[in-house]
Amino acid sequence: MASLIIVVLFTLGATGSALRKPVTQGFDEVAHVSYIAYLQATGQNWPRFAEMRMIDPTTFEFNTDQNYLNHPPFYYSLLAVLGPSVTGHPPSLIPIRLINVAMAVFGLMALLILGRHMNLGRLEFYAFAAMIAATPVLAPLAGAANNDNLGFAGGALSVLGLYAYSASFSRSWLIVACVGMIAASAAKLTGLILVGTTLSMTLMLVGMRHKVSRIDLLIVAGSLAVAASPYFAFMIQYGSPAPDTPAQSALLRNGADIAGWANEPRMAPAAFVAFFLKSFLKEWMPVLRPRNSLQLALLILPATISLFSVAGWVVSLRAVLNRRPRPLDFLVVSGMASIALTLAVHIAFSYQRHLQTGWVMDAYPRYYLPLIAIIPMAALTFCSTVQSHLLRVVLVAFLIGAPVVFQIFGAPMG
């Protein structure tokens, strides 16, 4: 019953967001809808980024502005087929958004099923569910046309499959994990790095406890090849798995000029890392207006949960090294390592942009939604090691209350 209530509340929140916010409000939605309209108008299966144009956010007719997106076409092709015709039809936005709501709800349901598979106590399950469903960016993003919704759904399915495979060694669950990984990778490159690395590392760690069959290895290898194939195609076509299109370069240069960043001295590497991490924490709750003192103070809540998660990673790593791991430990170790790797790549990529143009707006936590379940899994792992029953209950209660408080008072976008 609790899971049903959570799903219903999340669906209502995401649907409400889809019905009321303008297309220009966050998450690059005009560009994503323009990509869908481009595929519908041209009938192409593979994008030619230099030819892609933006639609006018009022009339939904194409204008002369180039589209700056550089993602594989699969998410957009799916919306182009399932959704109504976009060009010249502003009402088409709502059905497209509702398809995205369905994707996010699917991902949430997969993670709630994961919570049940983990055999958590009642309070621990509530904490797990709260840390996912009350993720500030998740419901507003679900109510928008954005490929991160496919990344979230695919990552959730993969984490569910990986946990069940680690617990049962069932090939069916491994196939589920691979399907989810392919879906997350089809959304964007960060989905491949996050979920593909987690899948590979988990299989390696499981192999330390249980002999992995050759067929399972072939399934994973084949799935990774399929997931990476669009980015190999981009490498051949554009010289990079994340093509630096002319429109994207112009967006960075013009944006940096308008904001005044282009003429400012470039940050040293250490200063940029500190700036990036601070911005990353702030963007956990995207806002449209400057935060007040209370909203800034509330950032301590997600920061504390992150520290709990790092502590949980240490606990799980010790269990793996001491050859006493639970299935949960495999996922925590590999998932947290994948997040750290992706964050390092993200920072390095962003710093290069900063050096070239002065641009500083790249610290978006929504890119990490495919592995959002790893954070509560690691935090609960840490709590499970606390010897005092009372203190353990207090910590779990904090994990339940903190996301809810932050969601309500942390200045949500809508």
Side-chain angles (χ1 to χ4, degrees):
M1 180 59 72
S3 297
L4 177 61
I5 293 172
I6 291 168
V7 170
V8 169
L9 291 176
F10 179 85
T11 303
L12 291 175
T15 302
S17 180
L19 295 176
R20 70 173 178 266
K21 66 174 180 275
V23 69
T24 53
Q25 185 175 304
F27 307 126
D28 299 311
E29 192 171 19
V30 175
H32 290 287
V33 176
S34 297
Y35 198 156
I36 298 167
Y38 162 78
L39 293 180
Q40 289 179 332
T42 63
Q44 293 178 3
N45 294 320
W46 192 255
R48 298 171 185 170
F49 291 132
E51 299 178 1
M52 287 170 51
R53 295 293 182 268
M54 298 284 278
I55 58 170
D56 182 276
T58 302
T59 65
F60 276 38
E61 297 286 354
F62 284 105
N63 57 33
T64 58
D65 295 336
Q66 281 191 309
N67 197 326
Y68 50 85
L69 294 182
N70 59 354
H71 304 303
F74 309 112
Y75 162 82
Y76 307 96
S77 297
L78 180 65
L79 271 293
V81 171
L82 296 181
S85 176
V86 171
T87 308
H89 299 96
S92 65
L93 179 63
I94 298 303
I96 289 173
R97 282 178 167 177
L98 293 180
I99 295 172
N100 280 267
V101 172
M103 288 182 186
V105 170
F106 174 84
L108 177 61
M109 291 173 63
L111 294 183
L112 292 176
I113 293 171
L114 168 63
R116 297 300 184 187
H117 272 264
M118 290 162 56
N119 294 317
L120 299 171
R122 186 176 62 178
L123 285 180
E124 284 78 8
F125 177 79
Y126 292 159
F128 179 81
M131 283 185 278
I132 293 169
T135 298
V137 72
L138 190 56
L141 183 67
N146 191 291
N147 60 345
D148 285 312
N149 288 310
L150 177 60
F152 167 66
L157 186 65
S158 188
V159 172
L160 168 61
L162 278 175
Y163 178 86
Y165 174 74
S166 300
S168 67
F169 309 111
S170 166
R171 184 169 297 149
S172 297
W173 280 116
L174 181 62
I175 292 172
V176 168
C178 290
V179 169
M181 184 269 295
I182 291 172
S185 302
K188 56 179 25 173
L189 180 59
T190 47
L192 172 62
I193 299 172
L194 285 165
V195 187
T197 304
T198 301
L199 176 63
S200 303
M201 286 191 64
T202 301
L203 196 70
M204 179 187 70
L205 294 175
V206 168
M208 296 167 56
R209 173 187 170 193
H210 175 84
K211 184 175 181 179
V212 178
S213 73
R214 184 174 299 178
I215 294 177
D216 289 352
L217 291 174
L218 288 174
I219 289 171
V220 171
S223 300
L224 287 168
V226 170
S229 60
Y231 304 102
F232 283 123
F234 281 162
M235 284 287 293
I236 295 170
Q237 188 175 3
Y238 297 101
S240 170
D244 188 14
T245 64
Q248 190 172 102
S249 298
L251 172 71
L252 298 179
R253 289 195 305 270
N254 295 338
D257 286 337
I258 293 171
W261 301 326
N263 297 322
E264 293 182 358
R266 302 298 189 257
M267 290 182 242
F272 184 83
V273 170
F275 175 84
F276 186 98
L277 294 177
K278 181 177 70 174
S279 301
F280 191 90
L281 178 61
K282 287 183 177 180
E283 288 299 320
W284 194 245
M285 173 70 83
V287 296
L288 298 175
R289 295 180 296 276
R291 293 175 174 84
N292 59 36
S293 299
L294 173 62
Q295 292 156 355
L296 286 171
L298 286 173
L299 291 170
I300 192 64
L301 298 177
T304 303
I305 292 175
S306 298
L307 292 176
F308 281 18
S309 299
V310 172
W313 174 77
V314 173
V315 171
S316 289
L317 182 60
R318 286 177 176 173
V320 170
L321 294 176
N322 293 331
R323 299 186 180 277
R324 291 185 284 102
R326 304 165 297 167
L328 181 63
D329 294 318
F330 294 134
L331 265 293
V332 169
V333 170
S334 58
M336 291 292 287
S338 300
I339 290 171
L341 171 65
T342 306
L343 186 61
V345 172
H346 191 178
I347 293 173
F349 180 77
S350 300
Y351 188 58
Q352 289 302 311
R353 283 183 163 185
H354 172 68
L355 292 177
Q356 292 167 2
T357 66
W359 185 260
V360 296
M361 291 181 60
D362 272 328
Y364 297 125
R366 70 175 186 270
Y367 297 165
Y368 297 78
L369 286 176
L371 289 187
I372 187 62
I374 300 298
I375 301 302
M377 292 168 78
L380 289 170
T381 296
F382 164 68
C383 292
S384 68
T385 64
V386 175
Q387 297 299 316
S388 168
H389 175 73
L390 177 60
L391 179 56
R392 187 165 61 251
V393 170
V394 170
L395 292 178
V396 172
F398 170 80
L399 295 178
I400 297 172
V404 176
V405 170
F406 191 66
Q407 176 75 286
I408 294 172
F409 298 107
M413 296 182 60

